[in-house]
DNA sequence: ACCTGAACACCGTTCAAGT
DNA sequence: ACCTGAACACCGTTCAAGT
């Protein structure tokens, strides 16, 4: 077990605080206290709060990329791979709503560029490749892959965001995201 | 022209600040200053900051309800009414992204209950009625209306939220929300 | 190179008064 | 009924030192 650097510990603590109390709970003071350093020690590792959160996001994007790689190399059917990817996405969104929003909704995170943007684009590209596989197998409609990927991604994101925002109760059609996603895939799959 | 009450002026100012600088720009001090009252005068009209934002949201939900009423009574085709409603939704989301997120993403707003929740449910019900009309006319798939409404609503919300979050660039499939919405309706419409 | 304590400006909220 | 000024606790950030 290699010793975690202070920087890694801070990222860990920030992620845990996001899970426990949402964005507002991630104060630099609370993060520092969780790691037992002074309230401004984080500035020796991150230029500001947004940068710390950016590191949390980047780490999770890399985890997604690794998961999509595993799915890609599994022995599932093409459409089964798409569904597995969506399920990992949904599980993450339901288990870590605040982190989900950090990665996929927060405007400050999207505009940071650099290695974070690279990691985010890589995740998206791997998902898009799975969609393309489903199209080649004739299990998804024959549209430009980018448009189809964007639409599926947006729909699932919408379901997850409505859930994270507490607005799922009203959409009485389905009380969980997976049901909505399944319905979408059924509706658009070639008949 | 009836004089606006201080409370109404505060709601106006908060909405303008949301448009101008996003959620973080809506400090009670800035709102108060815009109305030329002291920094804690808002507390004579709203119990706290969240309550003020709740009033902004409620007002916009009522505007949506009125718009959907107009659309319902227009001489458009059933599917034309659905598209008109979606367009009004999209226009609002693109013109007022911070207010859009307040109404449709913010967890604090969703859990406030009371007249705000009533207004939000009314808006949703009116939209759902337009969807039902499209189904009766055979221009939308024959599913439980609630499920179909939820799915269309979630997909458009996803597109708008990705745009508001600065993540539309990556979804190269369509650079605007209307194109994505149109694609969805094409894909799911009965063939 | 990494950390600490003091300090600053800003914010939501409360309180004691004022008209 | 509505408003004001002072005050409090909290937060992000900066700075001058310390090892």
């Amino acid at each position: 077990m290699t010793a975690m650097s202070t920087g890694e510990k801070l990222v860990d603590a920030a992620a845990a605080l996001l899970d426990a109390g949402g964005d507002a709970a991630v104060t630099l003071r609370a993060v520092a206290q969780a790691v037992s350093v002074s309230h401004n020690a984080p500035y020796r590792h991150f230029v500001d709060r947004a940068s710390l959160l950016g590191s949390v996001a980047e780490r999770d994007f890399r985890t997604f990329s690794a998961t999509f790689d595993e799915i890609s190399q599994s022995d599932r059917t093409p459409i089964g791979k798409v569904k597995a990817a969506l399920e990992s996405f949904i599980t993450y969104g339901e288990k870590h709503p605040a982190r989900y929003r950090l990665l996929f909704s927060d405007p400050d995170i999207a505009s940071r560029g650099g290695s974070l943007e690279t990691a985010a684009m890589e995740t998206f590209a791997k998902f898009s490749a799975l969609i393309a596989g489903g199209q080649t197998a004739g299990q998804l409609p024959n549209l430009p892959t980018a448009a189809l990927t964007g639409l599926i991604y947006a729909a699932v994101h919408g379901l997850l965001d409505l859930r994270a925002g507490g607005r799922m109760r009203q959409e009485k059609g389905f009380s969980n995201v997976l049901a909505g996603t399944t319905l979408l895939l059924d509706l658009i799959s070639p008949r």
Side-chain angles (χ1 to χ4, degrees), chain A:
Chain A
M1 51 180 176
T2 62
M4 258 202 296
S5 72
T6 303
E8 288 166 10
K9 285 188 207 164
L10 290 168
V11 172
D12 259 9
L17 284 166
L18 273 173
D19 285 345
D23 181 80
V26 188
T27 68
L28 289 184
R29 282 165 164 86
V31 172
Q33 191 178 28
V35 176
S36 296
V37 291
S38 74
H39 74 280
N40 48 17
Y43 285 96
R44 305 309 132 200
H45 303 270
F46 304 95
V47 337
D48 57 16
R49 179 179 184 274
S51 169
L52 170 60
L53 291 174
S55 291
V56 174
E58 185 171 339
R59 196 180 65 172
D60 282 1
F61 274 126
R62 296 198 190 286
T63 302
F64 267 115
S65 287
T67 302
F68 290 172
D69 279 345
E70 278 173 31
I71 290 171
S72 177
Q73 292 156 17
S74 72
D75 58 357
R76 283 175 248 250
T77 64
I79 191 72
K81 292 180 182 179
V82 169
K83 287 182 180 173
L86 289 173
E87 276 169 30
S88 75
F89 198 59
I90 291 166
T91 300
Y92 175 79
E94 297 190 333
K95 200 167 177 183
H96 312 283
R99 278 155 74 180
Y100 177 85
R101 287 198 160 179
L102 179 72
L103 272 68
F104 301 105
S105 276
D106 194 306
D108 298 330
I109 287 299
S111 58
R112 294 191 64 74
S115 58
L116 171 56
E117 185 172 353
T118 304
M121 281 173 47
E122 188 182 71
T123 297
F124 187 74
K126 286 179 191 296
F127 177 62
S128 190
L130 295 179
I131 297 286
Q135 289 183 296
T136 302
Q139 295 171 313
L140 285 175
N142 186 22
L143 299 173
T145 299
L148 181 61
T149 304
L151 183 61
I152 292 176
Y153 174 53
V156 176
H157 171 68
L159 289 163
L160 283 170
D161 188 77
L162 289 173
R163 183 185 190 285
R167 282 158 181 84
M168 202 79 180
R169 226 181 335 160
Q170 296 169 27
E171 328 319 320
K172 305 187 192 72
F174 27 76
S175 58
N176 73 76
V177 174
L178 189 55
T181 302
T182 303
L183 174 61
L184 173 70
L185 290 181
D186 283 354
L187 277 176
I188 69 173
S189 63
R191 298 162 245 183

